[in-house]
Amino acid sequence: MKVVAAYLLAVLGGKTSPSAADLKDILGSVGAEADSDKIELLLSEVKGKDITELIASGREKLASVPSGGGAVAYSAPAATGGGGAAAPAAAEQKKEEKVEEKEESDDDMGFSLFD
């Protein structure tokens, strides 16, 4: 990631095609170790390509990756008409939270630090 970040910083700095030396200088300026193999791999992959097009295609690929698994699980029962089953589960979860809060209040063992 730091090699990619250095490459993007070089591009933002005005270099349309940063060299390995440019990336090493950027990484060295912040005390990061520059791995020549990773730098050469990155430069070979982006050679002759426009960085804005690469970022746009990367965004398209990331858009197809599922994320936020919890939100999908909660919204699925409501969409299928099973919303009645979700309500008891939510009530049960609230009861568990209340029990946990009560246990936490017993941590003072009957006396206070400032008594």
Side-chain angles (χ1 to χ4, degrees):
M1 278 311 272
K2 61 186 172 185
V3 175
V4 174
Y7 183 85
L8 292 173
L9 284 171
V11 170
L12 285 173
K15 300 216 179 237
T16 55
S17 182
S19 67
D22 294 331
L23 300 183
K24 288 179 182 179
D25 287 343
I26 291 170
L27 291 171
S29 71
V30 295
E33 191 174 314
D35 185 5
S36 297
D37 293 336
K38 289 182 181 179
I39 291 173
E40 292 303 323
L41 176 65
L42 174 70
L43 291 177
S44 67
E45 291 292 323
V46 298
K47 186 175 184 178
K49 298 178 183 175
D50 182 38
I51 193 67
T52 56
E53 291 176 9
L54 288 174
I55 292 172
S57 71
R59 284 187 181 183
E60 289 174 10
K61 289 179 183 178
L62 284 176
S64 66
V65 175
S67 62
V72 173
Y74 288 118
S75 65
T80 59
E92 192 173 313
Q93 188 177 23
K94 286 182 182 179
K95 288 180 185 177
E96 289 177 15
E97 289 177 11
K98 288 181 181 178
V99 170
E100 289 177 18
E101 290 174 12
K102 191 173 186 179
E103 290 173 5
E104 290 175 10
S105 66
D106 293 338
D107 287 341
D108 64 1
M109 302 168 82
F111 60 91
S112 169
L113 181 62
F114 300 106
D115 282 341

